[in-house]
Amino acid sequence: MADRARIERRLNDLVSENRFTIAVFFPLVGAVMLLASAERVLIPDPLVFHPLLVIFGTAVMRLPLIVGLLPLVGRRAAGAIGLLTLYAYAIEYIGTTTGLPYGVFEYGIDLGPMLLGKVPFGLPIFFLPLVANAYLLCLLLLGERARAALVRVPAVIATVLLMDLVLDPGAVAIGFWEYDLTATPLAVWPYNSGVAFYGVPLSNYAGWVVSATVAVVTLDAAFEWIDLRARLDSCAFMLDDLVSFVLLWGVINAVYAQWAPVALAALLGVGLWYTDRFDVPAPPWL
């Protein structure tokens, strides 16, 4: 226990001392590199969508969230995270092979080693933090209303969906993945009208409601919400990953003039500002 506490303190100091680099510098540089890769300009071919750079940059931006949650991760939480990781792999594999529940899609870039040739091994680091960030933001925004699970859980699910309305259009714009808007997933999916939100079919968002519900309910059972709220009060950087999300995908959507996702990213930014979490301190040299 003493070793774990010492490691947690060191990680806490590491993030605290480098908040600007992690929460501002990395997402802005990441946006430039992703845009340069998508447009094939100002970047050497070997670095175009290099999977190690993508995963490394994502992992760095996730550090504030991971370090913030670490003191609260016991056996129950670790088990739930393990189950959610398996769920993320399973639902993505089903999605890439059947088109359910998100719609027919395929990855447009190399995201590193693939599980069964279909699912990136790094998938959990992309999916799970979206849910955790949405949960933490809602705890702050809801205040005392967060005590009621019937308020807390639907609010988080809606926030996860809002985040995907920012993420997916940006990811499609730079070619991370692509949807086939004419294909119908099997015969059991009730619709595929070709109607899309910046290249993302409506079926994707229906699928995200399903996945978000599973993930949020599991997360809600894994952690005591009151412990998460107390940790938020004592850890200034815990939502810095969401700051990175707003900057990274807000910039990418803005470059492609996708103004609805930009507005939704700004809405998340307003939520962070309202909760006093869009407060990343500038480094001494600025």
Side-chain angles (χ1 to χ4, degrees), residues 100-111:
L100 293 172
Y102 304 114
V104 178
F105 74 97
E106 61 181 5
Y107 287 97
I109 69 169
D110 179 10
L111 286 175

Side-chain angles (χ1 to χ4, degrees), residues 103-106 178-185 192 194 199 201 203:
V104 178
F105 74 97
E106 61 181 5
E178 180 180 2
Y179 292 89
D180 185 345
L181 301 181
T182 64
T184 301
N192 194 324
S203 56

